Structure formats: structure tokens, C-alpha cells
């Protein structure tokens, strides 16, 4: 979608190293981390937010949580603290669905 910062990252218009990439999603470091480890897991499809999800996204959501688990393992977070956060409404600032994986020490609200 035009003017969507995450679409631009996904299509390479804005260069960014990916922690993980598959057919349907990417994961990359948050530019302004709220925790020691702060990774965004982002579907390639432009989905606005939670409100736009329905049953047709079931397998995408499973894939997102598989990606979360992979990133948890890769970042040695199993025995540390981690959280997954999805903001919506006024708490959401980038209008392209994304899951925050926050690991280690939490510094501020996402
Ligand atoms: P939200 O408030 O929408 O849940 O979270 C948006 C997140 O995207 C914020 O944590 C913010 O730091 C991050 N962010 C915004 N713009 C960029 C960007 O251009 N690159 C990266 N890597 N993260 C971004
Ligand atoms: Zn987008």
C-alpha cells in the first residue's frame, strides 16, 4: 500500500536487514526498541490491524506464532522474560498489522 512504511520495508524500498523472511511474513528489529530485544513480526500482506483479521487469516496467524517461537529460540529467550504485544486503536501508530516480540529487560511501553 502506498505511503505505508512497513510495506516500503517489505518491498525493499526502505532497506532493512530481516531477522527472518518467509513467503508470508518478515521480522525486523524495531527502530526505537522498548526492550533489550524488540523485534517486529509483520505479514507481507497489508492488513491494517487486528480489526481486519478474520478466519481467512488463521494459517497466517499460526505462521506468525511459529516465527515468534523461532525468534525466541534464536535469541535465547526461553528461560528469560518475553512478551508478545499487538497494539490497536489509538495505541497503534503504524497502520500495518505487526506483532512486537519484547525480550529481556522491558524499558518502556510499546
Ligand atoms: P505500534 O505503536 O504501531 O504498535 O508500533 C509501531 C512500532 O514501529 C514502534 O515500536 C516504532 O518504533 C516502530 N517503527 C516505526 N517506524 C519504523 C521504521 O521505519 N523502522 C522500524 N524498524 N521500526 C519502526
Ligand atoms: Zn503496509
Amino acid at each position: 500500500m502506498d505511503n505505508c512504511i512497513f510495506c516500503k520495508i517489505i518491498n525493499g524500498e526502505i532497506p532493512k536487514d530481516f531477522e527472518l523472511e518467509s513467503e508470508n511474513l518478515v521480522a525486523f528489529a524495531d527502530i526505537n526498541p522498548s526492550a533489550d530485544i524488540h523485534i517486529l513480526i509483520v505479514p507481507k500482506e497489508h492488513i491494517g490491524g487486528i480489526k481486519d483479521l478474520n478466519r481467512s487469516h488463521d494459517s497466517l496467524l499460526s505462521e506468525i506464532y511459529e516465527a515468534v517461537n523461532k525468534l525466541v529460540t534464536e535469541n535465547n529467550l526461553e528461560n528469560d522474560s518475553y512478551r508478545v504485544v499487538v497494539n490497536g486503536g489509538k495505541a497503534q501508530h503504524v497502520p500495518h498489522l505487526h506483532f512486537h516480540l519484547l525480550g529481556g529487560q522491558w524499558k518502556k511501553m510499546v
Side-chain angles (χ1 to χ4, degrees):
M1 180 180 263
D2 289 351
N3 283 328
C4 170
I5 188 103
F6 285 179
C7 282
K8 286 182 180 171
I9 289 173
I10 289 159
N11 69 26
E13 223 174 302
I14 297 175
K16 182 81 193 157
D17 286 338
F18 293 146
E19 310 280 326
L20 187 152
E21 179 173 16
S22 73
E23 189 187 343
N24 298 313
L25 61 83
V26 295
F28 51 85
D30 196 290
I31 204 167
N32 182 18
S34 294
D36 293 337
I37 291 169
H38 188 169
I39 299 171
L40 302 173
I41 299 96
V42 187
K44 287 185 174 174
E45 180 188 352
H46 181 94
I47 300 167
I50 298 175
K51 65 184 186 317
D52 301 305
L53 289 171
N54 56 51
R55 294 286 173 94
S56 76
H57 300 106
D58 282 358
S59 87
L60 174 65
L61 290 171
S62 297
E63 240 188 90
I64 285 171
Y65 279 97
E66 280 171 10
V68 166
N69 286 336
K70 193 157 188 270
L71 292 164
V72 164
T73 302
E74 284 177 4
N75 288 279
N76 299 311
L77 290 173
E78 289 107 329
N79 299 313
D80 202 337
S81 304
Y82 64 93
R83 297 177 175 86
V84 177
V85 174
V86 187
N87 290 322
K90 288 182 179 168
Q92 182 184 357
H93 298 96
V94 176
H96 179 134
L97 180 69
H98 53 282
F99 291 64
H100 299 255
L101 171 61
L102 298 134
Q105 200 68 37
W106 181 291
K107 295 172 183 163
K108 56 186 172 68
M109 279 299 286
V110 287

